[in-house]
Amino acid sequence: MDWEQNVVQYRRDLHRIPETGFQEHKTHAYLWAHLEKLGLKPQRIGETGIIADIPGEGPGKHIAIRADIDGLPLPEETGLPFSSEHAGVMHACGHDGHMAIVLALADRLVAEKKFGGTVRIMFQAAEERPPGGALTLIDGGALEGIDEVYGLHLWAEDPVGTVGLKAGPMMANADQFTIRIKGVGGHGSQPESTKDAVLIAAQTVVNLQTIVSRRVRAFEPAVVTAGTIRGGHIFNIIAETAEVTGTVRTFSPETQALIETEIRRIAERTAALYDASAEVEYEKGYPVVINHEREAGAWAEKLRGLVEVNTPEPSMGGEDFAYYLQHKPGAFLFLGCGQEDGGSPPHHSPHFLINERALPLGVEVLYRAIQS
Ligand code: NI
């Protein structure tokens, strides 16, 4: 079948031209041209999102299949012959593969027509960073008339030939916080006349680590990560201000609310302890990806004999596919794309690689999702 070779070519073409969220103009043009060549009528939603309907033969469900299209602001170091041609940007999460799989699926559906109802393929901008592109598509009407929605993510931790799929929570709620500490700056030799914002930032980061260890129930998954501390200008001046940013991952609204409250309390009171002040900005990100029981079960059943279907531990990563599943029944799965020798560089690494043998399998996995 042509699409089995083509899917690899599409992935390589797209790998060369990674673009970050909502800037995916070359990517958009590539996808658009392909869909038009297939005789479809693509529709643009937002800056770079695309939906296109593929009518089947006879009555049936209206099923949406989504691929995310953005790359990451990261210089590529894989040394691949089809490496990124865009300095400082890389497809380091596998979204090039997601697009290729869905393009090849479109090829196959148009050629074979062996399905009822309609398949709507959705190319979504900006998955990597909240607010994300899923809401843009949904607000633009992408889910209107849709009965079910499916998607997948290439997963380098798992070998080719396996998928991770289960009902219930698959990926975490992902929030973001910023703590702004305001002290009093001064000469590095005269701390007595200052309120040292760098010291307070350091204490705050340490104290934040007591939230998960001392406030969250042991059986409730949660992560609090302080990713950056910024403060000060030079070695001999005591900093007047400092900023701490971080991320929070949870699976329940109760734990999410608890952690937000604790971050505010700890930041404000740690600063107060040193007679300074702190302000907390807490931004809620993507909600939990929750697979619907019936659709996840049916899909797993259809994949029997094709791949090994494993029940994965939920990932603490976030995904804006969550929004589709808040509106429509459906499911999301992890498609194993690890290297044969097991040495797969992690997602978001400058060395990230996907095993291309996973690509034709991905087409078949989605093809089965739309079969009734
Ligand atoms: Ni991703």
Side-chain angles (χ1 to χ4, degrees):
M1 299 288 291
D2 281 351
W3 58 266
E4 289 185 343
Q5 282 99 50
N6 290 348
V7 68
V8 172
Q9 190 55 49
Y10 302 154
R11 182 259 165 165
R12 293 182 179 193
D13 291 345
L14 289 160
H15 191 83
R16 289 177 193 271
I17 53 165
E19 296 161 297
T20 55
F22 295 119
Q23 309 294 317
E24 309 95 334
H25 298 289
K26 284 190 206 171
T27 306
H28 176 93
Y30 183 96
L31 299 168
W32 188 278
H34 189 97
L35 297 172
E36 282 199 325
K37 206 174 70 192
L38 284 177
L40 302 174
K41 292 193 177 62
Q43 186 188 327
R44 175 188 186 132
I45 299 184
E47 268 301 296
T48 49
I50 302 176
I51 63 171
D53 284 351
I54 308 174
E57 303 224 300
K61 286 181 187 162
H62 289 231
I63 292 180
I65 301 286
R66 171 271 210 170
D68 43 9
I69 70 171
D70 53 329
L72 285 155
L74 173 82
E76 177 160 358
E77 289 174 33
T78 60
L80 289 170
F82 50 89
S83 283
S84 169
E85 292 167 3
H86 295 170
V89 189
M90 175 185 176
H91 270 300
C93 194
H95 300 188
D96 49 344
H98 304 166
M99 289 185 274
I101 288 169
V102 173
L103 281 182
L105 177 72
D107 290 351
R108 187 172 170 190
L109 293 175
V110 167
E112 294 181 10
K113 293 271 180 217
K114 281 189 193 140
F115 62 101
T118 294
V119 173
R120 174 171 297 166
I121 55 177
M122 311 196 295
F123 289 107
Q124 180 216 302
E127 185 281 323
E128 292 289 355
R129 277 195 75 167
L135 292 174
T136 311
L137 280 194
I138 293 168
D139 293 346
L143 292 181
E144 273 163 31
I146 291 299
D147 299 309
E148 293 168 17
V149 59
Y150 297 93
L152 57 75
H153 205 299
L154 287 159
W155 214 247
E157 285 165 43
D158 297 336
V160 175
T162 68
V163 302
L165 170 63
K166 69 180 186 70
M170 284 285 284
M171 297 187 78
N173 171 253
D175 297 343
Q176 194 177 335
F177 65 86
T178 302
I179 300 170
R180 292 190 188 87
I181 296 155
K182 174 96 172 67
V184 174
H187 202 287
S189 67
Q190 293 172 322
E192 69 277 12
S193 53
T194 70
K195 296 168 186 177
D196 183 352
V198 161
L199 171 71
I200 297 165
Q203 296 282 21
T204 302
V205 170
V206 171
N207 291 341
L208 289 177
Q209 294 312 311
T210 62
I211 299 176
V212 172
S213 66
R214 300 291 92 167
R215 284 284 172 266
V216 177
R217 276 190 320 115
F219 284 96
E220 179 70 16
V223 173
V224 175
T225 290
T228 70
I229 301 186
R230 286 200 189 86
H233 298 286
I234 192 167
F235 74 98
N236 60 356
I237 293 178
I238 288 173
E240 172 131 337
T241 60
E243 194 181 89
V244 175
T245 67
T247 184
V248 173
R249 307 299 168 107
T250 53
F251 282 94
S252 77
E254 294 75 23
T255 306
Q256 181 189 28
L258 168 78
I259 292 179
E260 178 181 350
T261 304
E262 289 292 315
I263 289 175
R264 290 184 187 281
R265 196 174 61 80
I266 286 173
E268 286 161 13
R269 295 198 184 176
T270 302
L273 183 59
Y274 300 98
D275 201 20
S277 62
E279 237 175 52
V280 178
E281 201 180 301
Y282 192 94
E283 276 174 76
K284 292 197 166 119
Y286 300 154
V288 181
V289 176
I290 300 174
N291 276 344
H292 293 241
E293 196 162 338
R294 219 175 60 135
E295 287 67 26
W299 198 5
E301 199 54 45
K302 291 176 202 170
L303 295 178
R304 256 201 212 173
L306 174 71
V307 284
E308 182 185 320
V309 182
N310 298 318
T311 308
E313 273 184 348
S315 158
M316 297 312 284
E319 237 297 344
D320 65 354
F321 196 83
Y323 293 114
Y324 303 111
L325 295 177
Q326 287 184 335
H327 287 83
K328 298 289 175 186
F332 188 73
L333 63 70
F334 304 139
L335 178 69
C337 70
Q339 302 303 309
E340 259 81 23
D341 61 7
S344 290
H347 290 262
H348 294 208
S349 137
H351 304 283
F352 178 71
L353 286 178
I354 63 178
N355 186 331
E356 289 178 330
R357 289 204 304 120
L359 299 174
L361 211 48
V363 179
E364 181 66 29
V365 162
L366 288 177
Y367 186 79
R368 292 196 182 190
I370 64 179
Q371 301 295 314
S372 48

